[in-house]
Amino acid sequence: MKRGETRLAQRLKAKIGHEGPMTFRDFMAAALYDTDEGFYAKGSLIGNSEGAYLTNAQYPAFGFALARAALHAEALVGEPLRIVEFGGGTGMLAAAMQRWLQAPREYIIVEPSSGLRAIQRARGLSTVSSPWELKPAPTVVFANEVLDSLPVHRLMGMNDAQVCEVYVGLNDRQEFTDWPDRPSTSLLLDRLKEEGIVLGRGQLAEVCLDIEPFLAGVKHVMSKGYAIFIDYGDEAKNLYSPTRRNGTLCAYWNQQKHYEWYLRVGDQDLTADVDYTALRTLACRAGLLPAGQIRQGQWLQNLGIHDYIDGSVSGISDVHERNLEIIQLTHPAKLGSAFDVLIFKTPELPDGPGLHL
Ligand SMILES: C[S@@+](CC[C@H](N)C(=O)[O-])C[C@H]1O[C@@H](n2cnc3c(N)ncnc32)[C@H](O)[C@@H]1O
């Protein structure tokens, strides 16, 4: 075993040794979601200093505003809605939101990682491993920073507008290395073609195919209602523009962003920006309609996040701290413009909550 190498890295190397290079998608899926040793399966790393990332969900003010969004969604639909949160992490958002909903609502987390489900259950939250365990019902779906953590394939432009896929192989020293070869599926090329993207020679890019089954699950739980995704990303033409030659894949360790994704396999977070163009196209294909897009800062202000300062729930932080939370979540130089809110609806509903003051 190499110094500092995780057991998961060893297992993946053995697999590559036997079966040949694996797609980056499969490598990332294992690094994040391997049942025993994936970053999210272990659960315990989120919110600690090691391997952790900072998220909206850690600010109770975010839960306050999202509770408002849920209530506003109910007013738009005209009936009570179940809340289904996809990818609940350690359950911080669910716990904060439930505190601010005027009457108790059915609140279910869809969480594929067993370690996180255990943490969520310990907090008294309802959690299932797959959306297909739920019956369709009038629902508002939330997913905060989930799409960016779905595993991605890596592509690279070659001569004459050809494209290869960058697999994960092993070099002579038995280290993980980029391994270009023919694309593992024509769906990758179909996506680029559909979006009118031609990668320049040597240009790297990520394509997420897992978004499609994810959206099918989201649509499945909603007999009617809204799906609200909060994430970072861009339209395809910007994401894959020649000025972004290295793609957007990155790793997070100890709250530091870096590009050594073959290190600390299973102990660090991996993420790639969301392709909003694909998200919209695939959501429509799944039977959902676009119902608004807005920067997080503006959305939270429209929802009345400033009322959080006067919140009357006991035991929450003092006014100064509450103010700092709001600044952190809404200021354009902080998280306010780092995240976008993309809202989808079932047919025949008005546009989504929080789009206007
Ligand atoms: C970056 S974390 C965000 C956690 C939480 N929403 C937050 O903001 O702190 C990504 C979450 O999405 C979950 N996840 C990954 N794939 C998923 C899927 N297909 N369906 C639902 N959740 C998923 C992960 O297990 C994890 O809980």
Side-chain angles (χ1 to χ4, degrees):
M1 181 172 176
K2 289 209 164 64
R3 205 166 141 255
E5 186 172 74
T6 62
R7 277 213 314 267
L8 179 58
Q10 280 194 308
R11 272 207 282 131
L12 293 175
K13 284 182 178 179
K15 189 171 161 59
I16 293 171
H18 282 113
E19 298 171 14
M22 61 170 59
T23 61
F24 190 84
R25 185 255 164 232
D26 288 351
F27 174 86
M28 183 167 169
L32 296 184
Y33 305 112
D34 179 83
T35 332
D36 302 315
E37 293 167 312
F39 177 77
Y40 286 112
K42 286 190 285 198
S44 54
L45 290 174
I46 300 179
N48 286 351
S49 58
E50 280 187 4
Y53 59 95
L54 294 173
T55 158
N56 287 316
Q58 74 194 70
Y59 300 103
F62 191 65
F64 172 85
L66 265 61
R68 288 256 173 115
L71 297 174
H72 191 181
E74 285 193 346
L76 291 168
V77 176
E79 60 182 280
L81 297 176
R82 170 180 71 179
I83 299 172
V84 177
E85 184 188 350
F86 279 67
T90 54
M92 284 183 287
L93 175 61
M97 261 176 91
Q98 292 195 62
R99 205 168 184 181
W100 296 102
L101 292 164
Q102 281 144 13
R105 300 284 187 300
E106 194 183 1
Y107 192 121
I108 302 168
I109 299 177
V110 174
E111 177 52 68
S113 298
S114 54
L116 291 175
R117 281 202 307 281
I119 294 173
Q120 292 160 7
R121 271 198 299 273
R123 281 186 121 135
L125 300 163
S126 302
T127 169
V128 295
S129 62
S130 156
W132 302 97
E133 291 173 44
L134 301 177
K135 290 209 165 61
T139 298
V140 55
V141 166
F142 290 98
N144 181 60
E145 279 196 71
V146 179
L147 297 168
D148 70 81
S149 65
L150 297 178
V152 293
H153 292 259
R154 294 182 72 211
L155 300 180
M156 185 170 70
M158 301 194 303
N159 284 334
D160 305 327
Q162 298 291 305
V163 170
C164 66
E165 179 160 0
V166 182
Y167 293 74
V168 182
L170 295 177
N171 64 17
D172 293 346
R173 295 188 300 277
Q174 294 300 295
E175 296 160 338
F176 291 119
T177 189
D178 290 353
W179 194 281
D181 206 337
R182 290 219 303 270
S184 55
T185 159
S186 59
L187 294 174
L188 297 166
L189 305 181
D190 294 348
R191 171 75 62 80
L192 294 185
K193 197 167 164 200
E194 191 171 4
E195 296 186 328
I197 302 300
V198 179
L199 297 177
R201 186 161 168 246
Q203 182 182 352
L204 292 162
E206 298 81 31
V207 170
C208 180
L209 297 178
D210 284 62
I211 206 167
E212 198 161 351
F214 177 83
L215 288 169
V218 168
K219 173 64 180 66
H220 164 74
V221 303
M222 300 165 62
S223 62
K224 65 163 91 161
Y226 293 95
I228 300 177
F229 303 123
I230 302 149
D231 230 307
Y232 42 84
D234 213 330
E235 297 300 333
K237 68 175 183 346
N238 302 327
L239 212 52
Y240 301 127
S241 104
T243 57
R244 289 178 114 160
R245 287 188 57 79
N246 295 319
T248 62
L249 178 68
C250 67
Y252 277 91
W253 165 252
N254 203 8
Q255 294 164 26
Q256 299 292 317
K257 181 176 181 170
H258 67 89
Y259 300 95
E260 304 282 356
W261 39 78
Y262 293 142
L263 293 182
R264 304 184 196 96
V265 182
D267 282 352
Q268 65 181 8
D269 198 8
L270 301 176
T271 169
D273 285 17
V274 178
D275 175 350
Y276 296 162
T277 311
L279 175 63
R280 225 177 289 112
T281 305
L282 296 171
C284 289
R285 229 168 261 164
L288 296 170
L289 300 175
Q293 180 171 337
I294 185 168
R295 286 268 193 235
Q296 165 170 304
Q298 187 59 54
W299 189 61
L300 296 177
Q301 289 184 44
N302 292 351
L303 290 167
I305 194 169
H306 284 93
D307 296 342
Y308 175 69
I309 297 192
D310 306 318
S312 59
V313 168
S314 61
I316 66 171
S317 51
D318 68 21
V319 169
H320 176 64
E321 276 178 42
R322 291 189 221 177
N323 221 344
L324 288 180
E325 280 186 46
I326 293 174
I327 291 170
Q328 193 66 32
L329 289 165
T330 60
H331 195 282
K334 308 269 183 192
L335 299 176
S337 62
F339 290 94
D340 293 297
V341 181
L342 287 94
I343 308 179
F344 295 88
K345 62 182 181 179
T346 53
E348 289 158 27
L349 288 180
D351 277 351
L355 295 172
H356 309 287
L357 263 177

